[in-house]
Amino acid sequence: MSQTKVICFANNKGGSGKSTTCSNVGYALASLGKRVLLVDGDMQLNLSLSFFDEETVLSMAAGEKNLYYAIKEEKDLADYIISTPYENLDIIPSSTLMSGIEVELFTKWQREFILRKCLERVRATGKYDFILIDAPPTLGGWVMNVMCASDFVIVPVEASPWGLFGLANMFEFTEKVRTMAPTLSVLGIAVTKADERKNYFHQTLDTLGSIDGVTLFKNIIRVDSTVEWSQDNSKPVLAYKPSARSAKEYLELTKEILENVSRKSKH
């Protein structure tokens, strides 16, 4: 049995820092010596844009070596892997055509498990320690697919009054998926875009900390303009400016994620 762990980053609320968290945790895991495969499951291509310039990403999205075609044709994902500029870190890029993936899935047999089936051989080889999937900000058949293919879900939440909106739906949806994929578990909530100067900051943390049976990661990601600069340069913040506060926070969050995965895997 492969020891590869699959973690998806999901939140039905847009602007939660989902792709940013996925890309930076992926890079941090690779920098800690873990072999990582990233899967860009979102038509917005943000995860792909974290590692390649816009022209390259649009070229990959327009071609046929991307996630959309793999899922549409139910192909082995091993043939769609592309190396990033960084050691231990590969990616399966997305396509803008992912906007129509729900329609493609509709007629398929056991449609909730297509992604899991496409990932089977990649997992079985044990080539990667972690596979991280960036899910789109929706709650539909495709996100169900992503969750059914995963061992763990991490929910990035923006520390703002609107950041909590729809979170109850997110956890209800996860419970529904667990009826089909009972081994799936929520690894934790990762707080992003936090500003301690704002009154609602502590209120948000209190609310998130009071959710029954869900871990709130201790390491939070504060607002830092370096994150935007790193995105503008198509790099994870840890690669763009390792000395930045957000880079250090993502590294600490990643270490905490590793601890939680290790602890949950023993149960």
Side-chain angles (χ1 to χ4, degrees):
M1 180 66 185
S2 161
Q3 292 305 300
T4 305
K5 300 296 177 195
V6 183
I7 304 174
C8 70
F9 291 74
N11 190 335
N12 53 313
K13 170 88 172 59
S16 64
K18 188 172 45 58
S19 304
T20 308
T21 304
C22 184
S23 62
N24 281 288
V25 167
Y27 181 88
L29 284 168
S31 72
L32 293 168
K34 304 295 182 186
R35 297 159 303 166
V36 182
L37 173 64
L38 301 168
V39 180
D40 190 347
D42 191 352
M43 62 167 283
Q44 293 177 63
L45 317 176
N46 289 336
L47 187 63
S48 303
L49 287 163
S50 300
F51 298 94
F52 300 99
D53 62 61
E54 192 175 323
E55 189 180 340
T56 304
V57 170
L58 290 175
S59 168
M60 291 190 294
E64 293 193 3
K65 197 174 178 179
N66 57 54
L67 186 64
Y68 174 76
Y69 280 96
I71 297 301
K72 183 184 176 186
E73 305 295 333
E74 297 186 49
K75 293 285 180 65
D76 183 341
L77 282 175
D79 300 326
Y80 292 80
I81 295 169
I82 290 168
S83 301
T84 73
Y86 308 105
E87 196 179 352
N88 294 329
L89 194 59
D90 296 334
I91 191 168
I92 295 171
S94 189
S95 166
T96 48
L97 293 173
M98 286 298 290
S99 59
I101 199 67
E102 300 275 346
V103 177
E104 296 292 345
L105 289 170
F106 189 71
T107 56
K108 293 187 184 294
W109 169 249
Q110 289 199 313
R111 58 181 179 264
E112 294 87 1
F113 301 103
I114 303 294
L115 178 57
R116 183 156 87 179
K117 193 170 74 177
C118 293
L119 270 175
E120 263 171 12
R121 188 158 72 90
V122 178
R123 285 196 78 162
T125 62
K127 181 183 175 183
Y128 298 102
D129 299 304
F130 288 94
I131 298 172
L132 307 185
I133 310 172
D134 185 27
T138 58
L139 295 179
W142 173 238
V143 175
M144 193 171 278
N145 237 278
V146 169
M147 287 191 179
C148 283
S150 303
D151 301 305
F152 302 107
V153 185
I154 289 176
V155 185
V157 174
E158 180 187 5
S160 74
W162 286 356
L164 303 174
F165 185 75
L167 206 54
N169 295 345
M170 173 73 204
F171 289 119
E172 278 170 25
F173 183 82
T174 307
E175 282 308 306
K176 189 194 293 184
V177 175
R178 277 169 52 81
T179 62
M180 290 176 283
T183 56
L184 177 74
S185 70
V186 178
L187 197 63
I189 294 171
V191 175
T192 66
K193 304 181 185 178
D195 188 343
E196 291 166 310
R197 297 167 299 180
K198 301 285 172 69
N199 292 335
Y200 55 72
F201 169 74
H202 293 291
Q203 187 184 329
T204 304
L205 283 194
D206 288 345
T207 304
L208 293 172
S210 67
I211 299 173
D212 245 9
V214 179
T215 300
L216 178 63
F217 290 115
K218 296 183 189 75
N219 289 283
I220 63 173
I221 310 302
R222 293 169 180 80
V223 172
D224 183 355
S225 61
T226 314
V227 173
E228 280 79 26
W229 283 110
S230 69
Q231 290 167 341
D232 195 47
N233 284 272
S234 303
K235 289 182 176 181
V237 70
L238 281 141
Y240 177 71
K241 191 179 179 184
S243 62
R245 181 174 72 177
S246 53
K248 292 170 183 172
E249 288 170 350
Y250 272 118
L251 186 58
E252 289 310 308
L253 173 63
T254 302
K255 289 175 183 173
E256 189 179 356
I257 287 168
L258 277 172
E259 286 169 17
N260 284 23
V261 166
S262 176
R263 191 167 60 247
K264 288 218 174 201
S265 300
K266 284 171 186 169
H267 291 312

